[in-house]
Amino acid sequence: MIFGPTPLDEAEGAILAHSVRLKDRAIKKGTVLDAAAITALRASGMAEVIAARLGQGDVPEDEAASRIADALMSPLLARSRAATGRVNLLAETAGLFVVDAGIIDRLNALDESLTLATLPNFSLVQPREMLATIKVIPFAVPGGALGVAEALLRQHKVLTLHPFRPLKVGLVLTELPGVKESVMEGAVEVTQARIEALMGSLLPVERVRHETAATAEALRRLLRQGAEMLLIAGASATVDRRDVGPAAIVKAGGRIEHFGMPVDPGNLICLGAVGEIPALVLPGCARSPKLNGFDWVLQRLFAGLPVHARDVMGMGVGGLLKEIETRPLPRAKAPQTAPLASAPRKPRQVAGLVLAAGRSRRMAPLNKLLVADTKGVAMVTRVVDNVIASGVRPVLVVTGHERERVEEALSGRPIIFVHAEDYAEGLSASLKAGLAALPPEPEGVLIALGDMPLVEPGVMARILAGFDPEEGRAIVQPTFRGKQGNPVLWGREFLPEMMTITGDVGARQLVGKHADRLIEVEVADDGVLRDFDTVDSLKGAPGFGGKK
């Protein structure tokens, strides 16, 4: 192709490179100049134009784009007409759009005149949605390059659309004592919505004990009802391929293909099959309608695409689907009030519970909770003010030893006092008194200790931001350099178990027991580790002078 200034005497049949506005008309870019156009240009006083002239073997842009589109066509794809060197490809039905990225890269590397852009691989698409666009960059493509491109595309299935199949899906819900009914119902509703969105239907749900034998028998019942896919939503997250859910698939006569995936949320999915029927143990995040790794697997199965271990292991690039509040936040940048302004949704309702009933035996005769900082503010007052500023509501304060003095130090604040009559029996007595007084509305409770005044509101806000029981983050605990600290946020589902604790211990012993529901939030301040039990410990406490 010859491009550049072209005398009007040589311009007939050339392609105008830039639009030209004349007195009574405009000649648009891309116009093939005929005798009338040249006469008009000459009448306006012009002697030359910037134009392109095709060389031997060059193929005009629209013809080239159309030929590339024809080479790419496959069932259920539609195409637009060629215009300005562009053709768009569209979906004729809903389904999963699959691309051969390697071939597309080779096409785009053939010649700078040819480009093909597509949606991401395995995109979920709707009818008439644009899937790809072919664009010829200059006004023509060298014939040799176009021929190579057509041959390459015709040798491969580069773009394919896989429609969804109306599969019957069986769901087994396993249950443990203490799991809220609303959580179970929510799991069914979210799963049914996912299945119906992919043109499937949900068989009557099986609810059984969280035991291998009971779950396996439920899978067999669903297979007898014609299930074409099996799902297990466990009351407890799967932590090993020999756990209850995977073991039930094997006991029902199936096999485990792969456990885990490099997608977050969605790490703890388990992929298996009973005969030719896919069988999945769902990750905890599948209780949420938000996009997670389970969606990627489910979409492929509904589209009739096999999902093997190698497919799951290849999902890591792009597999970070959601930002989770686990990274340190410098104190200087921490918000002073919560919830976080950048939170994607309204925070869940969480109550605050401050334990301030202890006898302070190691600091006797002082009551450590009433030790004032250099500004004259009592330790327990700083703790309560920080909890209030974090945004939790309501805030309950459990009193015991020197009840009247503690309440006086906190007077005028929007808090609820709860007195633990048996506070002398230990920390568990104070904890249970506070939990028993919680109103029914909050979904969780942030339990703070009255002798930890260095935990700033911004740190508590990060803890709150990490709380999402539906996605498996039902316990949120701060860490500093890997060490677990306080305060800890507990989902309401754990309250019955916390009410059984006895002795001079708190609820932290339950963290290890429910590690599958725990998320650790790393923070940049060691205040989450520092409580003050002795006079000597106060010497290194910022802002405290050790005064009563």
Side-chain angles (χ1 to χ4, degrees):
M1 186 174 68
I2 303 169
F3 181 88
T6 305
L8 291 182
D9 291 341
E10 304 173 11
E12 188 169 350
I15 303 167
L16 187 64
H18 304 290
S19 298
V20 176
R21 181 166 294 280
L22 306 178
K23 183 177 181 180
D24 58 346
R25 63 180 289 196
I27 305 176
K28 294 182 178 180
K29 164 190 172 182
T31 299
V32 177
L33 298 173
D34 56 14
I38 290 173
T39 298
L41 291 167
R42 186 175 283 119
S44 71
M46 297 180 66
E48 65 178 22
V49 291
I50 304 298
R53 289 173 287 174
L54 301 189
Q56 186 175 3
D58 286 344
V59 180
E61 59 178 347
D62 285 351
E63 180 185 343
S66 186
R67 286 168 57 178
I68 292 294
D70 288 343
L72 283 167
M73 291 300 290
S74 66
L76 303 179
L77 300 189
R79 53 160 291 181
S80 68
R81 66 180 184 83
T84 65
R86 183 184 299 278
V87 175
N88 296 326
L89 302 182
L90 308 115
E92 289 188 339
T93 187
L96 205 62
F97 178 55
V98 179
V99 304
D100 187 329
I103 299 301
I104 291 172
D105 288 345
R106 288 173 61 184
L107 171 72
N108 286 324
L110 274 177
D111 189 276
E112 65 181 20
S113 63
L114 288 173
T115 68
L116 171 61
T118 76
L119 293 179
N121 201 7
F122 297 106
S123 288
L124 182 68
V125 299
Q126 300 300 322
R128 305 308 299 171
E129 184 173 348
M130 185 187 297
L131 307 176
T133 185
I134 302 146
K135 173 60 178 172
V136 173
I137 303 302
F139 293 112
V141 175
L146 182 61
V148 172
E150 288 179 291
L152 174 67
L153 297 178
R154 293 188 188 282
Q155 291 172 8
H156 302 273
K157 292 183 177 180
V158 184
L159 308 179
T160 54
L161 181 59
H162 301 264
F164 295 126
R165 304 172 298 160
L167 301 178
K168 295 179 181 179
V169 179
L171 173 64
V172 180
L173 288 181
T174 69
E175 300 177 336
L176 284 172
V179 178
K180 293 174 62 177
E181 181 64 24
S182 61
V183 173
M184 306 300 289
E185 293 175 353
V188 174
E189 292 174 1
V190 169
T191 304
Q192 183 170 358
R194 275 193 167 94
I195 291 168
E196 291 179 350
L198 299 175
M199 300 182 63
S201 58
L202 187 65
L203 294 170
V205 177
E206 293 276 349
R207 295 181 60 165
V208 300
R209 298 184 306 278
H210 187 67
E211 298 173 0
T212 298
T215 306
E217 184 54 39
L219 293 176
R220 296 189 190 101
R221 287 194 295 270
L222 289 168
L223 287 171
R224 289 193 292 269
Q225 295 175 48
E228 298 167 286
M229 183 186 301
L230 297 170
L231 306 178
I232 301 173
S236 180
T238 302
V239 296
D240 188 272
R241 60 167 52 225
R242 292 156 294 192
D243 212 338
V244 171
I249 292 173
V250 174
K251 190 173 181 64
R255 66 188 184 279
I256 300 303
E257 173 84 14
H258 190 71
F259 174 52
M261 71 187 309
V263 179
D264 193 355
N267 294 138
L268 298 182
I269 197 171
C270 187
L271 177 67
V274 180
E276 298 301 316
I277 304 299
L280 306 176
V281 185
L282 308 188
C285 60
R287 295 188 180 95
S288 168
K290 298 174 184 176
L291 179 67
N292 60 74
F294 170 53
D295 288 298
W296 285 5
V297 174
L298 192 68
Q299 290 164 8
R300 294 193 193 192
L301 293 175
F302 264 91
L305 299 173
V307 182
H308 300 297
R310 65 178 180 272
D311 301 308
V312 174
M313 291 187 283
M315 294 179 179
V317 176
L320 182 57
L321 300 181
K322 179 178 179 182
E323 178 69 15
I324 299 175
E325 293 290 335
T326 56
R327 297 183 176 87
L329 185 66
R331 178 183 289 184
K333 295 182 180 180
Q336 295 306 302
T337 59
L340 292 174
S342 59
R345 56 165 171 73
K346 184 179 179 180
R348 299 176 179 275
Q349 185 177 354
V350 174
L353 181 61
V354 180
L355 303 182
R359 291 183 288 177
S360 191
R361 288 174 294 183
R362 297 176 62 188
M363 203 177 287
L366 300 178
N367 183 340
K368 63 179 178 181
L369 300 182
L370 300 175
V371 171
D373 62 17
T374 54
K375 296 181 180 179
V377 179
M379 182 184 298
V380 70
T381 305
R382 277 184 57 169
V383 172
V384 171
D385 285 347
N386 288 340
V387 172
I388 292 171
S390 76
V392 296
R393 294 294 184 275
V395 176
L396 288 71
V397 178
V398 181
T399 61
H401 178 60
E402 295 191 333
R403 167 186 182 181
E404 294 79 8
R405 295 183 65 200
V406 172
E407 292 184 359
E408 182 181 357
L410 298 173
S411 63
R413 287 167 173 78
I415 58 180
I416 300 170
F417 288 110
V418 179
H419 184 61
E421 296 289 349
D422 52 354
Y423 70 90
E425 295 181 9
L427 185 60
S428 64
S430 302
L431 174 64
K432 290 189 285 187
L435 296 178
L438 285 174
E441 296 80 12
E443 299 176 68
V445 56
L446 181 71
I447 301 177
L449 304 181
D451 61 353
M452 297 189 69
L454 304 185
V455 183
E456 298 288 343
V459 170
M460 298 183 197
R462 284 178 56 76
I463 295 171
L464 294 172
F467 182 58
D468 195 333
E470 291 179 353
E471 295 194 6
R473 304 197 302 275
I475 307 171
V476 188
Q477 183 170 32
T479 60
F480 176 72
R481 297 179 181 174
K483 295 183 179 180
Q484 295 179 325
N486 281 295
V488 180
L489 200 168
W490 295 86
R492 198 173 190 94
E493 66 192 80
F494 302 105
L495 266 59
E497 193 170 1
M498 294 165 75
M499 291 295 290
T500 67
I501 297 172
T502 59
D504 193 22
V505 294
R508 290 187 62 175
Q509 60 178 305
L510 301 180
V511 170
K513 183 177 179 181
H514 298 287
D516 59 306
R517 303 282 283 161
L518 169 70
I519 179 174
E520 294 181 342
V521 176
E522 179 69 14
V523 299
D525 195 308
D526 69 351
V528 298
L529 305 179
R530 301 181 67 180
D531 58 353
F532 300 98
D533 291 326
T534 66
V535 174
D536 287 341
S537 67
L538 283 173
K539 294 178 180 178
F544 278 86
K547 296 181 180 180
K548 185 176 180 181

